[in-house]
Amino acid sequence: MGLPGLLCALMLVVGYCSRRAAGVPGEVEQPEPELVEVEVGHTALLKCSLPHAQGNISHLDWFSVHKEKQTLIFQVHKGQGQSKPGEYQHRLSLQDRGTTLALTHVTPHDEHIFLCQGKRPRSQEYRIQLRVYKAPEEPSIQVNDLGLSVNSAEPGEIAICVGRNGYPLPQVTWYKNSHPLIEEKNRVQIQNYQIVESSGLYTLRSVLSAQVTKEDKDAQFYCELNYRLPSGNHMKESQEVTVPVFYPAEKVWLEVEPAGMLKEGDRVEIKCLADGNPQPHFSISKQNFSTRETEEETTDDGTLVLEPAQKEHSGLYQCQGLDLETTVSLMSDPQELLVNYVSDVQVTPEAPESQEGSSLNLTCTAESNQPLEFHWLREKTGHVLHKGQVFQLHHLTREAAGGYRCVALVPSVPGLNRTQLVNVAISGSPWMTVNTRKLWVKENLVLNLSCEASGHPRPTISWNVNGTVSEQDQDEQSVLSVLTVLVTPELLETGAKCEASNALGKNTTIIFLELVSNRTTIGTPTVGPHTRANSTSTEKKLPEPESKGVVIVAVTVCVLVLAVLGAVLYFFYKKGKLPCGRSGKQEITLPPSRKSEFVVEVKSDKLPEEMGLLQGSSGDKRAPGDQGEKYIDLRH
């Protein structure tokens, strides 16, 4: 280099040093800008903190710096501010005596450097870096509903996570059963995509792919978004999802519902199950206990329904599963299905018949695959009379006739039983409860007279008077006859006779009718509580004219008598004849023997048949006319 070149180089160095010493703007190293953080939609406060400014800054220029380009956006002159045309024109205002510039409705596009420059006493500038934040929406997750196979050699898509409208772009983390997933070659892949919305916000789309195993069939996958706000770090989680995982079955078995002892009439389900997904195609076979033959049962979904179950359904059942993808066939272990039953309940003799005073044995038999118990019940009452296969009836009476039911039951299987009804006939002449009865009636009334008789053979009933007769069978040995008749002088004189007869004899009941006087009030006779009332009547009263004049006169007389009585009592009171003072008060009471005297009548509803049943072993015989009425005196 020649002398002129050296002189030029020296002059440049001296000039550069002179500029450094003089502090020429733009040539010195700039300090780091102040950081201001704000959320989208909020207001950013930009404070101009010039290093050598004292008191109020009367002249300031504000610039926005984008890609090293400065754009004047606001000017302050003597404490008054003015916005420049542009994107910030209507969003800027002054605060703190002109030293702070407020930017409202912040958007992601506002994230850059703002510069304030003072002109007096000398040119200075201060830089502010504005950082903008926006929390993303709750992440949504979409699982692969088609599912994945464990036999796939490549990772398959499990789910997609989407986080919308966040700023800056959030970070995503995937989890399986609460454990974070890390990318692994040929095992786990995570691909993230970002979308910039017109608002400047970001939408994140993350795709998780992985190879699955049989153990992943119940795995819970979810994603987590991590983001920052001026207040610090935050995160949001998606819902948990499960991806369908397909794998071949290794085992097949069957289940029976309900569990436990089964009986005829139950609804039974036989279900084929496998540990594969999807379930293989099932078929069910049954081996009969007695014939040892195997039968194929029809089923569509691997479930066989037996409704109602019968004893013929008992056998050895087995499921076969065929995997349609691998064509592998699997068989379950055979399982015994036992349907407990009771059948062919019979009572001998089938039509028992005996004489009064004799004895009778009833025997019950049945078939079952379990030990049986036998109970004997009275058909009319349902009461248990005897336990055992043989039922002995001693000293038979007419009341012992009727229905008896044998119940064959299995104690070890609740609800398993069968019954058989048998009717016992006691041969004898017709029987009636009473022989005579008197009824109080009025002339020209229509009566319903009833007469009931029982016996074996079944009796027939006839009446000695003309009228309308209707009959109905009470049971196989009893008949009820109802006579509808008009009360006439001839009927009052002769009465009504009911005669019951069969091949073994006759019996009668006479109903006497007595006229009642007009002064006597009578109730309408009705049927008693027992079904063997021999004669009842229902009167249909004819309408009688009422005398309204007699009623008015009676009321008037009563009012006059009360007035006279009141005047007499008042006269005696004035004369001092009635002591009404405190010392003269008297208690008007009933005699001691009449206080708290109540009589309650209780009538027994027990049927005469039950009273006379099994008298040889149950106690004293009740008289035929005894209706079981009891009276309880509650006077004490």
Side-chain angles (χ1 to χ4, degrees):
M1 180 182 297
L3 183 61
L6 291 174
L7 290 175
C8 288
L10 182 60
M11 291 176 64
L12 290 174
V13 171
V14 171
Y16 173 76
C17 293
S18 299
R19 287 195 300 271
R20 293 273 305 213
V24 177
E27 297 297 333
V28 297
E29 184 178 354
Q30 296 294 332
E32 287 292 328
E34 179 188 357
L35 182 63
V36 174
E37 297 179 323
V38 65
E39 291 190 47
V40 170
H42 291 196
T43 298
L45 298 179
L46 310 176
K47 184 176 180 61
C48 185
S49 301
L50 293 174
H52 302 291
Q54 298 178 357
N56 293 333
I57 303 176
S58 58
H59 294 82
L60 279 178
D61 290 337
W62 284 91
F63 299 88
S64 67
V65 182
H66 184 59
K67 295 182 179 181
E68 301 300 328
K69 179 182 178 181
Q70 296 183 2
T71 302
L72 181 63
I73 60 174
F74 198 85
Q75 286 185 318
V76 180
H77 181 70
K78 294 183 180 181
Q80 301 295 321
Q82 181 180 4
S83 293
K84 295 299 180 180
E87 60 177 320
Y88 299 104
Q89 183 175 359
H90 303 292
R91 294 195 290 147
L92 296 174
S93 61
L94 284 178
Q95 292 186 7
D96 294 341
R97 294 178 296 179
T99 61
T100 300
L101 184 65
L103 173 60
T104 62
H105 306 297
V106 172
T107 70
H109 301 294
D110 299 330
E111 187 177 79
H112 45 70
I113 293 176
F114 290 86
L115 182 148
C116 68
Q117 191 176 70
K119 297 181 179 180
R120 297 176 184 176
R122 62 173 178 255
S123 295
Q124 304 178 60
E125 66 180 29
Y126 187 77
R127 292 174 176 261
I128 301 172
Q129 175 67 59
L130 182 62
R131 295 291 185 193
V132 180
Y133 299 94
K134 168 70 168 60
E137 299 174 6
E138 293 290 334
S140 62
I141 189 168
Q142 181 178 358
V143 71
N144 178 9
D145 294 326
L146 299 179
L148 301 175
S149 173
V150 298
N151 297 325
S152 176
E154 298 293 332
E157 181 182 297
I158 291 180
I160 299 174
C161 178
V162 178
R164 300 182 184 279
N165 298 323
Y167 193 88
L169 187 70
Q171 301 296 317
V172 64
T173 304
W174 282 95
Y175 290 86
K176 181 178 79 170
N177 296 332
S178 300
H179 297 289
L181 293 174
I182 302 175
E183 284 194 280
E184 183 181 349
K185 185 177 181 180
N186 297 329
R187 294 289 299 171
V188 179
Q189 295 178 357
I190 300 175
Q191 294 178 314
N192 296 328
Y193 306 89
Q194 69 180 36
I195 301 173
V196 181
E197 309 291 347
S198 59
S199 61
L201 301 176
Y202 291 108
T203 291
L204 174 68
R205 186 174 183 268
S206 180
V207 180
L208 172 66
S209 300
Q211 280 189 328
V212 293
T213 63
K214 183 178 178 180
E215 289 70 25
D216 293 328
K217 62 185 180 66
D218 298 319
Q220 300 287 327
F221 295 90
Y222 67 95
C223 63
E224 175 187 276
L225 296 182
N226 298 277
Y227 57 95
R228 190 180 184 282
L229 295 178
S231 58
N233 294 324
H234 300 268
M235 67 86 160
K236 290 182 178 181
E237 294 179 346
S238 71
Q239 295 181 342
E240 295 180 333
V241 295
T242 301
V243 63
V245 178
F246 304 128
Y247 47 90
E250 299 176 357
K251 182 181 178 182
V252 174
W253 68 96
L254 64 84
E255 292 181 354
V256 178
E257 295 182 359
M261 302 285 281
L262 303 176
K263 64 180 182 297
E264 282 191 319
D266 285 345
R267 185 183 188 275
V268 180
E269 286 189 5
I270 301 175
K271 295 182 178 180
C272 292
L273 299 172
D275 60 354
N277 187 33
Q279 295 281 285
H281 174 74
F282 291 112
S283 61
I284 300 177
S285 61
K286 169 200 166 186
Q287 184 182 29
N288 193 293
F289 280 146
S290 56
T291 63
R292 297 298 177 181
E293 294 181 357
T294 301
E295 306 168 0
E296 190 79 14
E297 300 291 345
T298 302
T299 176
D300 294 331
D301 58 352
T303 300
L304 177 62
V305 178
L306 308 177
E307 185 179 16
Q310 304 293 334
K311 65 180 180 180
E312 293 80 10
H313 292 142
S314 298
L316 284 176
Y317 286 81
Q318 198 170 15
C319 286
Q320 180 181 14
L322 176 63
D323 192 304
L324 300 179
E325 182 177 354
T326 63
T327 67
V328 175
S329 180
L330 299 174
M331 294 291 293
S332 70
D333 295 332
Q335 182 169 334
E336 179 182 354
L337 179 72
L338 180 61
V339 180
N340 299 287
Y341 67 92
V342 177
S343 63
D344 299 329
V345 182
Q346 295 181 350
V347 176
T348 55
E350 295 182 0
E353 182 176 342
S354 186
Q355 301 289 332
E356 285 187 277
S358 61
S359 299
L360 179 64
N361 289 342
L362 301 177
T363 303
C364 188
T365 58
E367 292 185 6
S368 178
N369 64 323
Q370 299 287 349
L372 286 171
E373 284 187 6
F374 295 91
H375 293 180
W376 292 90
L377 283 69
R378 185 64 156 146
E379 175 67 11
K380 288 185 177 180
T381 63
H383 295 161
V384 178
L385 304 177
H386 178 70
K387 294 182 180 181
Q389 195 167 1
V390 179
F391 182 29
Q392 297 179 344
L393 298 170
H394 299 291
H395 308 293
L396 291 172
T397 63
R398 296 175 183 270
E399 291 85 352
Y404 295 85
R405 187 172 293 276
C406 170
V407 181
L409 56 91
V410 178
S412 60
V413 184
L416 179 55
N417 62 77
R418 294 291 183 270
T419 68
Q420 180 62 45
L421 177 65
V422 64
N423 285 288
V424 175
I426 308 299
S427 299
S429 59
W431 174 76
M432 297 179 172
T433 306
V434 295
N435 293 328
T436 60
R437 182 159 184 166
K438 179 183 289 187
L439 295 178
W440 296 90
V441 298
K442 290 184 178 181
E443 198 170 359
N444 295 327
L445 292 180
V446 177
L447 297 179
N448 286 333
L449 304 178
S450 63
C451 179
E452 184 178 359
S454 61
H456 184 72
R458 178 179 171 278
T460 59
I461 295 178
S462 60
W463 296 84
N464 69 330
V465 293
N466 294 327
T468 303
V469 179
S470 61
E471 288 188 357
Q472 64 184 66
D473 294 335
Q474 301 298 95
D475 53 44
E476 293 186 358
Q477 302 180 87
S478 300
V479 62
L480 174 66
S481 177
V482 179
L483 172 67
T484 302
V485 65
L486 179 66
V487 177
T488 62
E490 294 78 8
L491 182 61
L492 291 171
E493 183 177 353
T494 61
K497 183 172 74 172
C498 164
E499 182 178 271
S501 61
N502 62 9
L504 300 180
K506 299 180 179 180
N507 205 344
T508 60
T509 291
I510 301 177
I511 304 172
F512 295 102
L513 305 178
E514 183 98 10
L515 271 182
V516 63
S517 63
N518 291 333
R519 296 181 181 180
T520 306
T521 303
I522 64 171
T524 303
T526 58
V527 179
H530 54 80
T531 60
R532 294 191 180 275
N534 285 275
S535 58
T536 61
S537 66
T538 303
E539 299 182 2
K540 298 181 180 178
K541 296 185 179 181
L542 300 178
E544 298 180 1
E546 296 182 0
S547 177
K548 296 183 180 179
V550 174
V551 174
I552 296 174
V553 172
V555 171
T556 304
V557 171
C558 291
V559 171
L560 292 176
V561 171
L562 289 175
V564 173
L565 180 59
V568 172
L569 291 176
Y570 181 75
F571 174 77
F572 281 109
Y573 172 71
K574 283 298 185 178
K575 294 295 184 178
K577 301 297 184 178
L578 294 177
C580 293
R582 292 181 179 269
S583 62
K585 287 186 178 180
Q586 296 181 1
E587 181 184 4
I588 303 176
T589 61
L590 294 174
S593 62
R594 301 295 295 173
K595 287 183 179 180
S596 302
E597 181 174 314
F598 301 96
V599 177
V600 178
E601 176 183 348
V602 179
K603 293 187 177 181
S604 173
D605 292 335
K606 187 172 292 186
L607 298 177
E609 296 94 314
E610 297 179 44
M611 300 176 183
L613 187 61
L614 298 175
Q615 293 178 7
S617 59
S618 61
D620 297 334
K621 179 177 179 182
R622 187 182 298 278
D626 186 357
Q627 299 302 311
E629 297 179 356
K630 298 179 181 179
Y631 294 87
I632 302 175
D633 192 348
L634 302 179
R635 298 180 184 179
H636 302 292

